[in-house]
Amino acid sequence: MAAEPEILDELRRLRARVPQLTGALAASVDGLVLAHDTPGVEAESLAALTATALGVAVRTTDVTGQGDLRELLVRGVYGYVATYAAGRTAVLTLLAQDRVNVGRLHLEGRRAGARIGELVDAAQTARGAGGPPAKAAKPPARTTAPRTRTTRVPRSTGTAPGANAPTATEG
């Protein structure tokens, strides 16, 4: 991809702005590494896991009616893994120490994700019809109405309406 050096530059600038970042990866939504700065972490494995987590997160936001996925945050004992949408076909995954300011992580992650998305989308547009069609970042919209819960009505005990029959738990 022609934008790879620019994406790598963006990842390095991001790591300079947020010193608690221990790694940054840009990947396609199907798990292919676009660029990475992830010392000590295998980028291909992280990209594949990101694609898997992204699939579950997209499905979760769809089923719950929360709209398009914007970000995913996982907290472990030693730090955070944050994934942000980056354009139509890419994601940005950041690894951060536990002491990171999560607000700052989100602010910088969202900005970098938007910039990387612009770079990836522009590179795909420049390729035009000459390349394979791009994968959609999200599945097609649902055509059925979302499921709703109805209020549960207590079952009848078989006694006449209004009768105060004791239950098994009452003495």
Side-chain angles (χ1 to χ4, degrees):
M1 169 177 282
E4 183 178 327
E6 292 172 320
I7 295 171
L8 188 55
D9 286 344
E10 183 64 32
L11 296 180
R12 289 183 177 143
R13 284 193 301 271
L14 175 61
R15 289 201 55 202
R17 289 191 308 267
V18 185
Q20 295 81 21
L21 287 183
T22 59
L25 168 104
S28 65
V29 293
D30 54 357
L32 299 175
V33 175
L34 301 175
H36 70 94
D37 184 9
T38 55
V41 176
E42 188 178 322
E44 290 77 15
S45 294
L46 180 57
L49 288 168
T50 294
T52 302
L54 182 67
V56 172
V58 165
R59 181 74 178 126
T60 301
T61 57
D62 182 47
V63 166
T64 59
Q66 300 301 318
D68 294 343
L69 177 76
R70 296 288 182 233
E71 58 202 40
L72 173 65
L73 182 67
V74 177
R75 182 177 183 204
V77 174
Y78 303 115
Y80 295 88
V81 178
T83 300
Y84 302 91
R88 296 184 309 266
T89 61
V91 292
L92 169 66
T93 295
L94 304 177
L95 309 176
Q97 298 170 354
D98 189 45
R99 61 188 179 90
V100 72
N101 178 320
V102 177
R104 178 78 186 268
L105 176 69
H106 284 320
L107 177 70
E108 296 294 347
R110 291 169 187 153
R111 286 180 180 167
R115 175 74 179 126
I116 289 168
E118 290 170 0
L119 293 169
V120 170
D121 291 349
Q124 287 182 343
T125 301
R127 271 193 355 218
K135 266 189 130 175
K138 115 180 180 39
R142 289 172 52 132
T143 57
T144 59
R147 294 183 352 184
T148 58
R149 290 186 172 248
T150 57
T151 305
R152 195 167 185 175
V153 178
R155 289 186 184 171
S156 171
T157 59
T159 59
N164 291 326
T167 63
T169 57
E170 295 176 2

